[in-house]
Structures are given as structure tokens and as C-alpha cells.
Amino acid sequence: GGGAADNERRTTAAGAMERSLRKISMVRRNMLHVTSNVQSYFMFEVLEVSWDALAERVGAAETLDALIDAHNSYLADILMKALLGDDPDSLKIARLLFAIFSIADRFCEL
């Protein structure tokens, strides 16, 4: 019963499934892209650059106070660049990133 109609329904369902899988794949790729870019930013623009500045200041330090100042400056620089400061712009960006990562996390749980 209903061979042609069944085939048409299967073809339609298969097409819908393929479109859904393609959309899911695109969303996953975009999430991976954002996550990778944020990770790269933290590694290469925050940690590496700040570490190089710390190493330079430590090398130039002639007193314990200068060494402590270099370390405190390093920590402050990382907090600011990693958007962990308490200024309004950092807080806004951090909230947006948290929202994006929460969505990605929920997506991974599907």
C-alpha cells in the first residue's frame, strides 16, 4: 500500500534530515571557530605578550621592589587583557563570551 506516496514521504524526510544535519554542522563549525579564536587570543595576545613583558622587566629589575612591581604589573595586565577586569566594557564582553560558551556547552550535551 501506497508505494509512491511512501517513497515521496521518505524522500522528503531524508531531504529535511540532510538540511538539518547541514545546519547543525554549520553551527558546530561556527562554535569551534569562535572557541578557537578566543583560545588563541588568550594564549598569544594575553599570556605570551604579557609573559615577554614580564621577562623583560624581571631582567631589568635591580631590587626586590622592582621585581614585585613587575609581577604585579604582569598580573594586572593579564586581568585586563583577559577581560577579567571590573570596568564596564570588560564585564560586558565577559558576559557575552560566557553566554556564547554556555550555548556551545548546551549544544555539546545534545
Side-chain angles (χ1 to χ4, degrees), residues 6-81:
D6 284 343
N7 283 341
E8 186 175 330
R9 275 192 294 266
R10 281 189 208 114
T11 302
T12 301
M17 176 72 85
E18 186 177 328
R19 285 188 298 279
S20 293
L21 290 174
R22 195 173 301 131
K23 285 180 184 179
I24 290 169
S25 179
M26 288 174 57
V27 168
R28 181 181 172 278
R29 245 190 332 266
N30 286 338
M31 287 182 189
L32 181 60
H33 176 75
V34 168
T35 304
S36 294
N37 280 328
V38 170
Q39 180 185 15
S40 291
Y41 168 76
F42 285 133
M43 289 301 297
F44 300 111
E45 300 299 325
V46 175
L47 296 177
E48 187 174 307
V49 171
S50 298
W51 181 261
D52 291 344
L54 172 65
E56 185 176 316
R57 288 191 66 188
V58 165
E62 295 182 1
T63 66
L64 181 59
D65 285 340
L67 188 62
I68 291 169
D69 287 343
H71 185 256
N72 287 337
S73 177
Y74 168 71
L75 294 177
D77 192 43
I78 286 175
L79 288 174
M80 183 199 60
K81 288 179 181 176

